[in-house]
Amino acid sequence: MNSLQGKTVFITGASAGIGLSCAECFAEEGSRIILTARREDKLNELAEYINDKFGTETLVRRMDVSDKKEVREVVGSLPEEWKEIDILINNSGLALGMGKIHESDPEDWDVVIDTNIKGMLYVAREIMPGMVERRSGHIFNLGSIAGHQVYPGGNIYCSTKFAVNALTQGMQMELVDTPVRATCISPGMVETDFSEVRFKGDKVKAKKVYKGIDALTGTDIAEIIVFIAGRPRHVNINDIIIMPTNQASAIIVHKK
Protein backbone atom coordinates (compact mmCIF):
# COMPACT_ATOMS: atom_id res chain seq x y z
CA MET A 1 0.00 0.00 0.00
CA ASN A 2 1.17 3.50 -0.90
CA SER A 3 1.62 5.29 2.44
CA LEU A 4 -0.72 8.21 3.10
CA GLN A 5 1.34 9.39 6.07
CA GLY A 6 2.10 13.09 5.71
CA LYS A 7 0.12 13.47 2.47
CA THR A 8 -1.82 16.72 2.08
CA VAL A 9 -5.52 16.12 1.39
CA PHE A 10 -7.84 18.91 0.23
CA ILE A 11 -11.52 18.16 0.93
CA THR A 12 -14.54 20.17 -0.22
CA GLY A 13 -17.82 19.84 1.65
CA ALA A 14 -15.90 18.61 4.69
CA SER A 15 -18.41 19.84 7.28
CA ALA A 16 -20.75 16.83 7.02
CA GLY A 17 -21.47 13.47 5.40
CA ILE A 18 -18.90 11.80 3.16
CA GLY A 19 -16.54 14.79 3.32
CA LEU A 20 -16.44 14.69 7.11
CA SER A 21 -15.86 10.92 7.06
CA CYS A 22 -13.03 11.34 4.54
CA ALA A 23 -11.38 13.85 6.85
CA GLU A 24 -11.51 11.39 9.75
CA CYS A 25 -10.33 8.39 7.72
CA PHE A 26 -7.39 10.19 6.09
CA ALA A 27 -6.42 11.72 9.44
CA GLU A 28 -6.31 8.22 10.89
CA GLU A 29 -3.76 7.37 8.18
CA GLY A 30 -1.60 10.31 9.25
CA SER A 31 -2.52 12.65 6.40
CA ARG A 32 -2.61 16.43 6.74
CA ILE A 33 -6.12 17.73 6.02
CA ILE A 34 -7.34 20.97 4.44
CA LEU A 35 -10.99 21.26 5.47
CA THR A 36 -13.22 23.44 3.31
CA ALA A 37 -16.96 24.11 3.30
CA ARG A 38 -19.36 27.00 3.78
CA ARG A 39 -20.03 26.25 7.46
CA GLU A 40 -16.81 27.38 9.13
CA ASP A 41 -18.09 26.67 12.64
CA LYS A 42 -18.58 22.99 11.77
CA LEU A 43 -15.11 22.86 10.22
CA ASN A 44 -13.52 24.27 13.35
CA GLU A 45 -15.29 21.65 15.48
CA LEU A 46 -14.07 18.91 13.14
CA ALA A 47 -10.51 20.24 13.12
CA GLU A 48 -10.43 20.26 16.91
CA TYR A 49 -11.77 16.69 17.02
CA ILE A 50 -9.20 15.46 14.47
CA ASN A 51 -6.32 17.17 16.24
CA ASP A 52 -7.34 15.68 19.60
CA LYS A 53 -8.03 12.16 18.33
CA PHE A 54 -5.37 11.65 15.66
CA GLY A 55 -2.80 14.36 16.37
CA THR A 56 -2.64 15.29 12.70
CA GLU A 57 -2.39 18.77 11.22
CA THR A 58 -5.48 20.49 9.85
CA LEU A 59 -6.14 23.75 8.05
CA VAL A 60 -9.65 25.27 7.95
CA ARG A 61 -10.87 27.48 5.12
CA ARG A 62 -14.40 28.69 4.52
CA MET A 63 -15.16 28.21 0.82
CA ASP A 64 -18.20 28.11 -1.43
CA VAL A 65 -17.18 25.98 -4.42
CA SER A 66 -19.74 27.72 -6.64
CA ASP A 67 -17.92 31.04 -6.17
CA LYS A 68 -15.09 30.98 -8.73
CA LYS A 69 -13.33 34.01 -7.28
CA GLU A 70 -13.47 32.65 -3.72
CA VAL A 71 -12.10 29.26 -4.81
CA ARG A 72 -9.19 30.97 -6.57
CA GLU A 73 -8.47 33.12 -3.52
CA VAL A 74 -8.63 30.24 -1.03
CA VAL A 75 -6.36 27.94 -3.02
CA GLY A 76 -4.03 30.75 -4.06
CA SER A 77 -3.58 32.02 -0.50
CA LEU A 78 -2.74 28.69 1.13
CA PRO A 79 0.37 28.90 3.34
CA GLU A 80 3.53 27.75 1.59
CA GLU A 81 3.70 24.51 3.60
CA TRP A 82 0.15 23.59 2.47
CA LYS A 83 0.40 24.40 -1.23
CA GLU A 84 1.52 20.98 -2.46
CA ILE A 85 -1.78 19.09 -2.47
CA ASP A 86 -1.42 15.35 -2.95
CA ILE A 87 -5.08 14.33 -2.92
CA LEU A 88 -8.15 16.34 -3.93
CA ILE A 89 -11.55 15.10 -2.78
CA ASN A 90 -14.13 16.98 -4.83
CA ASN A 91 -17.00 16.10 -2.53
CA SER A 92 -19.29 19.14 -2.48
CA GLY A 93 -22.65 18.40 -4.04
CA LEU A 94 -26.38 18.49 -3.45
CA ALA A 95 -29.85 17.92 -4.85
CA LEU A 96 -32.85 20.21 -4.42
CA GLY A 97 -36.36 18.80 -4.82
CA MET A 98 -37.70 16.06 -7.07
CA GLY A 99 -40.02 18.09 -9.24
CA LYS A 100 -40.64 17.56 -12.93
CA ILE A 101 -38.73 19.84 -15.29
CA HIS A 102 -41.87 21.70 -16.34
CA GLU A 103 -42.88 22.24 -12.71
CA SER A 104 -39.64 22.78 -10.75
CA ASP A 105 -37.87 26.02 -9.85
CA PRO A 106 -35.03 27.06 -12.20
CA GLU A 107 -33.38 28.80 -9.24
CA ASP A 108 -32.86 25.35 -7.71
CA TRP A 109 -31.37 24.13 -10.99
CA ASP A 110 -28.80 26.92 -10.85
CA VAL A 111 -27.70 26.02 -7.32
CA VAL A 112 -27.33 22.32 -8.16
CA ILE A 113 -25.50 22.89 -11.45
CA ASP A 114 -23.26 25.61 -10.01
CA THR A 115 -22.25 23.37 -7.11
CA ASN A 116 -22.09 19.90 -8.64
CA ILE A 117 -20.50 20.73 -12.00
CA LYS A 118 -19.01 24.21 -12.02
CA GLY A 119 -17.87 24.01 -8.40
CA MET A 120 -16.06 20.76 -9.04
CA LEU A 121 -14.38 22.28 -12.09
CA TYR A 122 -13.38 25.51 -10.30
CA VAL A 123 -11.58 23.56 -7.57
CA ALA A 124 -9.96 21.12 -9.99
CA ARG A 125 -8.76 23.98 -12.19
CA GLU A 126 -6.90 25.58 -9.28
CA ILE A 127 -5.34 22.39 -7.90
CA MET A 128 -4.61 20.21 -10.93
CA PRO A 129 -1.82 22.36 -12.44
CA GLY A 130 0.34 21.84 -9.34
CA MET A 131 -0.22 18.09 -9.48
CA VAL A 132 0.74 17.96 -13.15
CA GLU A 133 3.82 20.11 -12.55
CA ARG A 134 4.95 17.89 -9.65
CA ARG A 135 3.89 14.76 -11.57
CA SER A 136 2.07 13.47 -8.53
CA GLY A 137 -1.50 13.58 -7.27
CA HIS A 138 -4.89 11.93 -7.14
CA ILE A 139 -8.27 13.56 -7.83
CA PHE A 140 -11.44 12.01 -6.45
CA ASN A 141 -14.69 13.31 -7.92
CA LEU A 142 -17.81 12.33 -5.99
CA GLY A 143 -20.32 11.05 -8.49
CA SER A 144 -23.31 8.80 -7.84
CA ILE A 145 -25.27 5.85 -9.16
CA ALA A 146 -27.33 8.79 -10.49
CA GLY A 147 -24.42 9.43 -12.86
CA HIS A 148 -24.97 6.01 -14.41
CA GLN A 149 -28.75 5.58 -14.18
CA VAL A 150 -31.52 8.17 -14.21
CA TYR A 151 -34.41 7.83 -11.75
CA PRO A 152 -37.82 9.58 -11.62
CA GLY A 153 -37.54 13.02 -10.06
CA GLY A 154 -33.78 13.04 -10.47
CA ASN A 155 -33.62 14.95 -13.76
CA ILE A 156 -31.27 17.85 -12.89
CA TYR A 157 -29.32 16.04 -10.17
CA CYS A 158 -28.77 12.99 -12.41
CA SER A 159 -27.63 15.26 -15.23
CA THR A 160 -24.99 16.82 -13.00
CA LYS A 161 -23.71 13.44 -11.86
CA PHE A 162 -23.54 12.18 -15.45
CA ALA A 163 -21.42 15.29 -16.04
CA VAL A 164 -19.14 14.42 -13.09
CA ASN A 165 -18.65 10.96 -14.58
CA ALA A 166 -17.90 12.41 -18.04
CA LEU A 167 -15.53 15.06 -16.67
CA THR A 168 -13.63 12.43 -14.69
CA GLN A 169 -13.21 10.37 -17.86
CA GLY A 170 -12.01 13.53 -19.60
CA MET A 171 -9.45 14.09 -16.84
CA GLN A 172 -8.22 10.52 -17.18
CA MET A 173 -7.66 11.06 -20.90
CA GLU A 174 -5.90 14.38 -20.41
CA LEU A 175 -3.68 13.07 -17.58
CA VAL A 176 -2.77 9.80 -19.30
CA ASP A 177 0.78 11.00 -20.03
CA THR A 178 1.34 11.88 -16.36
CA PRO A 179 1.36 9.88 -13.11
CA VAL A 180 -1.62 11.95 -11.85
CA ARG A 181 -4.72 9.83 -11.26
CA ALA A 182 -8.46 10.61 -11.36
CA THR A 183 -11.23 8.47 -9.91
CA CYS A 184 -15.00 8.81 -9.94
CA ILE A 185 -16.71 7.55 -6.77
CA SER A 186 -20.30 6.51 -7.48
CA PRO A 187 -22.30 5.57 -4.37
CA GLY A 188 -25.88 4.40 -4.13
CA MET A 189 -27.92 5.22 -1.05
CA VAL A 190 -25.76 6.82 1.65
CA GLU A 191 -27.52 8.01 4.80
CA THR A 192 -26.20 11.53 5.38
CA ASP A 193 -27.95 14.90 5.42
CA PHE A 194 -28.27 14.65 1.60
CA SER A 195 -32.03 13.99 1.62
CA GLU A 196 -32.65 16.61 4.28
CA VAL A 197 -31.01 19.18 1.99
CA ARG A 198 -32.93 17.84 -1.03
CA PHE A 199 -36.23 18.25 0.83
CA LYS A 200 -35.20 21.65 2.21
CA GLY A 201 -35.08 20.74 5.88
CA ASP A 202 -38.02 18.31 6.01
CA LYS A 203 -36.49 15.75 8.38
CA VAL A 204 -39.53 13.44 8.35
CA LYS A 205 -39.55 13.21 4.56
CA ALA A 206 -35.78 12.73 4.48
CA LYS A 207 -35.91 9.91 7.04
CA LYS A 208 -38.44 7.98 4.94
CA VAL A 209 -35.89 7.67 2.12
CA TYR A 210 -33.72 5.37 4.24
CA LYS A 211 -36.45 3.66 6.26
CA GLY A 212 -36.35 -0.13 5.95
CA ILE A 213 -32.90 -0.39 4.33
CA ASP A 214 -29.43 -0.69 5.82
CA ALA A 215 -28.02 2.21 3.82
CA LEU A 216 -24.35 2.99 3.32
CA THR A 217 -22.63 5.41 5.68
CA GLY A 218 -20.18 8.19 4.96
CA THR A 219 -17.48 6.05 6.55
CA ASP A 220 -18.20 3.19 4.13
CA ILE A 221 -17.39 5.50 1.23
CA ALA A 222 -14.44 7.21 2.92
CA GLU A 223 -12.74 3.89 3.67
CA ILE A 224 -12.99 2.94 -0.01
CA ILE A 225 -11.50 6.29 -1.06
CA VAL A 226 -8.61 5.75 1.37
CA PHE A 227 -8.06 2.27 -0.08
CA ILE A 228 -7.96 3.59 -3.65
CA ALA A 229 -5.64 6.46 -2.69
CA GLY A 230 -3.27 3.91 -1.18
CA ARG A 231 -2.83 1.83 -4.35
CA PRO A 232 0.62 1.83 -5.98
CA ARG A 233 1.16 4.72 -8.39
CA HIS A 234 0.85 2.49 -11.46
CA VAL A 235 -2.71 1.47 -10.42
CA ASN A 236 -5.77 3.64 -11.03
CA ILE A 237 -9.36 2.70 -10.28
CA ASN A 238 -11.25 4.77 -12.82
CA ASP A 239 -14.75 4.46 -11.41
CA ILE A 240 -16.33 2.48 -8.62
CA ILE A 241 -20.02 1.92 -7.90
CA ILE A 242 -20.81 1.15 -4.26
CA MET A 243 -24.30 0.06 -3.26
CA PRO A 244 -26.05 -1.16 -0.12
CA THR A 245 -26.58 -4.91 -0.35
CA ASN A 246 -30.34 -4.38 -0.74
CA GLN A 247 -30.03 -1.86 -3.57
CA ALA A 248 -29.70 -3.29 -7.07
CA SER A 249 -30.00 -0.09 -9.11
CA ALA A 250 -31.03 3.54 -8.83
CA ILE A 251 -34.69 2.45 -8.70
CA ILE A 252 -34.63 -1.13 -7.37
CA VAL A 253 -34.38 -1.21 -3.59
CA HIS A 254 -35.62 -3.85 -1.16
CA LYS A 255 -37.00 -2.36 2.03
CA LYS A 256 -38.01 -4.43 5.02
Side-chain angles (χ1 to χ4, degrees):
M1 181 168 177
N2 181 29
S3 176
L4 301 174
Q5 179 79 33
K7 298 288 187 183
T8 300
V9 183
F10 189 107
I11 306 174
T12 68
S15 60
I18 294 171
L20 185 153
S21 295
C22 283
E24 293 179 348
C25 288
F26 275 97
E28 190 172 8
E29 296 295 322
S31 302
R32 308 162 73 236
I33 317 294
I34 302 173
L35 303 166
T36 73
R38 291 177 299 176
R39 296 180 290 180
E40 192 171 7
D41 57 332
K42 296 290 186 183
L43 294 177
N44 287 326
E45 290 174 12
L46 177 58
E48 185 177 351
Y49 170 77
I50 286 174
N51 293 337
D52 289 345
K53 184 169 182 179
F54 305 109
T56 53
E57 293 181 89
T58 57
L59 182 70
V60 168
R61 289 292 184 269
R62 188 207 172 278
M63 186 177 78
D64 179 351
V65 298
S66 67
D67 186 330
K68 179 170 57 178
K69 182 180 177 184
E70 186 170 275
V71 170
R72 185 178 296 127
E73 288 175 351
V74 167
V75 177
S77 65
L78 289 173
E80 202 62 39
E81 66 272 20
W82 288 92
K83 285 186 181 297
E84 293 192 0
I85 295 163
D86 299 294
I87 296 166
L88 165 60
I89 301 176
N90 251 328
N91 167 71
S92 291
L94 77 164
L96 291 173
M98 294 190 73
K100 296 177 181 178
I101 292 172
H102 60 283
E103 297 172 347
S104 54
D105 186 351
E107 295 294 326
D108 287 347
W109 304 351
D110 289 342
V111 173
V112 175
I113 291 168
D114 287 350
T115 303
N116 296 6
I117 303 177
K118 293 164 71 176
M120 187 200 82
L121 283 169
Y122 293 156
V123 178
R125 179 63 182 85
E126 296 304 313
I127 292 175
M128 283 176 67
M131 290 182 170
V132 172
E133 183 179 350
R134 294 189 306 274
R135 297 186 61 78
S136 178
H138 201 147
I139 302 140
F140 289 90
N141 295 324
L142 264 293
S144 171
I145 185 61
H148 296 264
Q149 303 168 358
V150 179
Y151 57 83
N155 42 55
I156 305 304
Y157 177 71
C158 292
S159 299
T160 65
K161 291 304 180 178
F162 267 79
V164 170
N165 193 5
L167 288 166
T168 307
Q169 291 180 42
M171 288 179 183
Q172 289 159 357
M173 293 176 187
E174 293 166 359
L175 295 169
V176 72
D177 59 345
T178 79
V180 179
R181 300 179 287 183
T183 299
C184 188
I185 303 292
S186 302
M189 295 175 72
V190 184
E191 189 165 4
T192 63
D193 62 356
F194 174 85
S195 289
E196 190 175 328
V197 173
R198 164 170 257 168
F199 298 124
K200 301 183 178 181
D202 189 331
K203 296 181 188 297
V204 175
K205 199 171 183 180
K207 201 71 179 172
K208 286 181 180 176
V209 173
Y210 309 106
K211 188 176 181 180
I213 183 170
D214 190 6
L216 299 169
T217 67
T219 301
D220 292 328
I221 306 305
E223 288 176 346
I224 289 167
I225 293 173
V226 166
F227 171 80
I228 295 172
R231 295 309 86 211
R233 291 184 70 188
H234 71 285
V235 177
N236 187 49
I237 296 174
N238 287 4
D239 183 20
I240 183 166
I241 299 175
I242 312 108
M243 307 281 263
T245 303
N246 293 129
Q247 182 178 13
S249 72
I251 59 173
I252 300 174
V253 179
H254 173 71
K255 292 191 174 185
K256 299 170 187 175

